[in-house]
Amino acid sequence: MKPLALLALLLTAGCTTVPPTNIHQPMTARPAPRAELPPANGAIWQAGQGRPLFEDRRARYVGDTITVRITERTTATAQSNRKLDKSNSISASVGSLLGLPGKTLQGINLNAESANAFDGKGEAANNNAFTGNITVTVIDVLPNGNLLVSGEKQVAIGQEQEFVRISGVVNPSFVDAFNIVESSKVADARIEYKSSGQLSEGQIMGWMARFFLNVLPF
């Protein structure tokens, strides 16, 4: 019974495997602890506050959050045409000469011709669209003031889990007053949309089929 239970446990664990990622790690960060503030003196402005009273709430510190509006559209096309024509012709003749042996070969004409033709065409097209919103966390502030952000959103529907991940470098000047930045303005962006579950596993070729596909020459 123990081997069967272990096998069932492994199969169950395989169904809930989290897809690997290339996103900057960690995908979240806690803000640095604040220094102990002096006691309030009753004034509106208090010394030691992290932000001025009339300052906007755009992210700028580790642990702050930014909403990234994902609007990715890519279109790629490739077309190739190749054509080759080649022909050769050779002719030879043996004249009639007196006093030479092999009279049966005299007066024979030899002609040889060869022709090669090749015409190949190829065309490929790829269109992708990815839209959505995800809120990420500032995990580091670079020396020039840019923000390294990273985040993940997990959505579970039945037995299927979806993972939306994004990371990159954000220039604070590109963040609007609502603390939102477009994904097209995120440098070194790494955007992923992956899923884990029975539906995603059904789209993957089995290991035995992959083995024969790599080994068989036809």
Side-chain angles (χ1 to χ4, degrees):
M1 294 298 294
K2 289 185 178 180
L4 294 177
L6 181 60
L7 179 60
L9 181 60
L10 292 176
L11 292 176
T12 304
C15 295
T16 58
T17 301
V18 177
T21 179
N22 293 322
I23 298 298
H24 293 91
Q25 300 294 329
M27 285 188 287
T28 187
R30 292 183 175 273
R34 291 186 177 182
E36 186 176 354
L37 300 178
N41 54 12
I44 296 178
W45 184 85
Q46 299 292 330
Q49 286 185 342
R51 300 177 187 268
L53 182 62
F54 298 102
E55 186 182 66
D56 57 31
R57 307 301 296 180
R58 283 182 284 190
R60 63 183 61 190
Y61 301 117
V62 173
D64 290 350
T65 59
I66 299 177
T67 299
V68 180
R69 182 180 290 119
I70 303 174
T71 53
E72 296 294 326
R73 290 181 176 84
T74 58
T75 302
T77 58
Q79 187 174 3
S80 176
N81 294 323
R82 291 186 178 183
K83 188 175 182 180
L84 174 64
D85 291 323
K86 183 179 180 181
S87 61
N88 294 317
S89 178
I90 300 175
S91 61
S93 62
V94 179
S96 299
L97 299 177
L98 298 176
L100 293 179
K103 294 182 178 181
T104 57
L105 299 178
Q106 297 183 15
I108 294 179
N109 294 324
L110 301 177
N111 295 317
E113 295 182 357
S114 65
N116 294 322
F118 172 77
D119 189 2
K121 296 181 179 180
E123 186 174 353
N126 188 11
N127 296 318
N128 295 312
F130 185 11
T131 60
N133 295 326
I134 181 174
T135 299
V136 297
T137 305
V138 178
I139 61 175
D140 192 14
V141 179
L142 304 182
N144 61 353
N146 289 343
L147 310 175
L148 178 61
V149 300
S150 181
E152 177 187 58
K153 179 190 291 185
Q154 298 185 19
V155 180
I157 303 176
Q159 301 298 324
E160 195 76 11
Q161 288 187 342
E162 297 180 351
F163 300 84
V164 181
R165 300 163 176 159
I166 184 173
S167 67
V169 179
V170 176
N171 188 333
S173 61
F174 293 153
V175 182
D176 62 17
F178 298 98
N179 202 35
I180 299 175
V181 64
E182 300 288 340
S183 62
S184 59
K185 297 181 180 179
V186 179
D188 300 331
R190 302 179 184 180
I191 305 174
E192 296 179 355
Y193 178 82
K194 297 182 178 181
S195 61
S196 175
Q198 297 177 356
L199 294 179
S200 59
E201 290 179 357
Q203 301 175 4
I204 301 176
M205 185 181 298
W207 64 269
M208 184 172 292
R210 295 197 304 269
F211 170 77
F212 284 108
L213 186 63
N214 294 328
V215 173
L216 295 179
F218 51 84

